[in-house]
Amino acid sequence: MSRAQIAPPAPSGPARSVPPPPSRPLPPPPVVGPSTRLVDLAAPEQPLSPHDPRSVGEYTLTGRLGSGGMGTVYLGHRAGTHGVVAIKVLAPHLLDDVDARTRFLREGQTLQKVTGDYTARVHGVGFDGSMPYIVMERLDGPSLHAFVAASGAVTDGEMLTRTAIALARALAALHADGITHRDLKPGNVLLTSAGPKVVDFGIARVVGQTHHTPAGNMVGTPGYMAPEQVTGNGALPATDVWAWACCVVFAARGDHLFDGDNILDIARRILDGPGAEAFGAVHRLSPRLVPVLRRATAQDASDRPRDGAALLRLLDRSGATSAVGHAGWDRLVGGGVR
C-alpha cells in the first residue's frame, strides 16, 4: 500500500490540507442556528498567497478555495464575463510526475463525460505552459463531512432520506455514464443549493480507460472501502453502493461506520461487516432505509445492488422514496440546517 493510493478517513474534495497562512484574517466560522443556510457553511474564499499565480490561461485568479496534495483550487473569472469559476491546478512539484499529471488530466476528462446534474460541470481542460488545469463550475455549500462537523449528525429523518435518495441518483447517473467513483465519502459529497454533488474523480475508473493500479493494491479511503477494495480485487459500481451506505450512516451517526486505530484495524472491521447496532441511528430517523443499507453492505458485491440504478429501485421498493413529502431539499437550503 502506498500513501499515494490510500488516505486516512478525513475530509477531502477540493480542500485536503491546511493552506499557507493568509495575508489577512479569515472571517470567523458561522454560528450554526435555526436560520443557518447551507451556503453559509461553505468553505470561505481565502486570499492568494505571495506564491500563488495571479492568472491561469485566460482566467484571472481572485482567491483560493482549497489546497491539497495534488494541487490547489482557485476562484477565477475570464475577462468580459461576469460569472466566477473554480480552477483546479496541479501542484508545481508534481509537474514532472508523469503518473500525477496523467491522473490529474484523467479527472478532467472523466468529469467531461458526466451528463447528470450531480457533479460540477467542467468548462474545459487546458495547459498554462506545462501546468495543466481544469475549469469547473463553482459549487456552493459544505461537504457532508463539514456539515456534520459544524452542526452534528442529521436529526431530521426526511433530510436523511432525501440525502440518501439524491446521492443514489448521483451514482445512477455516474454508473450510466460508465464511471465508477471508487472514493465516495462524506468529504467528496457537497451539499449545494441545487442538491448533493459528487466531487473528486482523481481515482475514478471509466469504462474503456486503461488504468495502471498494480494488482493487490488498495485504492480509496480506508473507512469507506468495500471488501473487494480492501483485498485488492478492484472496484465496480457495487463498490460505490457500499460507500453510499457508509455515507448515509455517517450522516445519521456523525461518525464512520468502520473506524479503527490504524489501516489494518479498519480493514479487519470492514471484512467483519457492520455490527448489530450499526444502523441504529438510521433506524430511529428513517427505518425504511435500514433494509437497503443492509443489502448495500453485503460482503459479496454480487449480493448488493449492482449499481446506482438498482439501488434506486431498491429504495423505491422499500418505501423510502414515498416516505418523504414535497418539502424537500429547498427547505434545508432556505434555512435551518437542523
Side-chain angles (χ1 to χ4, degrees):
M1 295 179 290
S2 69
R3 291 186 180 179
Q5 293 167 321
I6 190 165
S12 65
R16 288 186 176 172
S17 63
V18 179
S23 58
R24 64 176 185 267
L26 294 176
V31 176
V32 177
S35 62
T36 307
R37 301 170 304 160
L38 284 175
V39 293
D40 299 328
L41 297 178
E45 177 187 347
Q46 303 156 3
L48 295 172
S49 77
H51 304 292
D52 285 322
R54 266 44 190 176
S55 65
V56 173
E58 300 177 332
Y59 295 87
T60 300
L61 305 183
T62 59
R64 280 173 168 248
L65 293 177
S67 183
M70 283 291 290
T72 301
V73 180
Y74 296 101
L75 190 66
H77 68 86
R78 188 166 54 187
T81 63
H82 297 290
V84 295
V85 294
I87 303 171
K88 188 171 185 177
V89 175
L90 183 65
H93 70 278
L94 295 176
L95 290 178
D96 294 327
D97 186 323
V98 175
D99 288 340
R101 285 168 61 91
T102 299
R103 172 177 164 179
F104 184 89
L105 291 170
R106 183 186 294 136
E107 177 175 11
Q109 293 163 358
T110 298
L111 283 168
Q112 287 180 309
K113 293 177 182 291
V114 179
T115 57
D117 296 325
Y118 300 97
T119 64
R121 291 191 300 273
V122 172
H123 302 301
V125 179
F127 285 86
D128 188 320
S130 62
M131 180 177 64
Y133 63 89
I134 305 169
V135 183
M136 302 176 289
E137 167 192 18
R138 188 198 178 179
L139 299 176
D140 60 17
S143 70
L144 176 57
H145 191 285
F147 174 83
V148 170
S151 62
V154 172
T155 58
D156 184 307
E158 184 171 334
M159 176 190 165
L160 180 69
T161 304
R162 284 197 174 275
T163 301
I165 293 169
L167 191 51
R169 287 175 178 156
L171 288 184
L174 293 177
H175 295 160
D177 287 327
I179 299 167
T180 301
H181 192 282
R182 302 204 297 173
D183 196 23
L184 185 67
K185 56 188 173 183
N188 286 344
V189 176
L190 298 188
L191 304 179
T192 79
S193 56
K197 304 268 187 175
V198 178
V199 298
D200 200 343
F201 287 74
I203 64 172
R205 181 178 294 280
V206 180
V207 172
Q209 280 187 354
T210 301
H211 291 254
H212 302 288
T213 302
N217 281 20
M218 291 196 294
V219 178
T221 300
Y224 294 83
M225 285 182 175
E228 59 271 17
Q229 287 176 294
V230 169
T231 55
N233 290 322
L236 57 162
T239 304
D240 289 343
V241 171
W242 171 288
W244 167 88
C246 294
C247 289
V248 174
V249 173
F250 174 83
R253 295 189 351 179
D255 61 6
H256 308 294
L257 177 56
F258 300 103
D259 210 345
D261 296 331
N262 52 58
I263 292 175
L264 292 179
D265 191 25
I266 295 170
R268 178 183 57 79
R269 296 186 183 192
I270 290 171
L271 296 177
D272 286 342
E277 297 301 318
F279 307 122
V282 177
H283 187 271
R284 288 189 290 274
L285 294 174
S286 182
R288 296 183 185 186
L289 286 176
V290 173
V292 184
L293 292 170
R294 293 195 187 281
R295 282 282 304 279
T297 52
Q299 285 288 305
D300 191 327
S302 65
D303 293 329
R304 298 177 216 144
R306 66 189 304 268
D307 56 17
L311 177 60
L312 278 174
R313 291 192 294 270
L314 188 57
L315 284 166
D316 190 49
R317 291 198 300 270
S318 74
T321 307
S322 61
V324 293
H326 294 294
W329 197 256
D330 55 347
R331 184 186 65 186
L332 172 66
V333 176
V337 299
R338 299 299 291 269

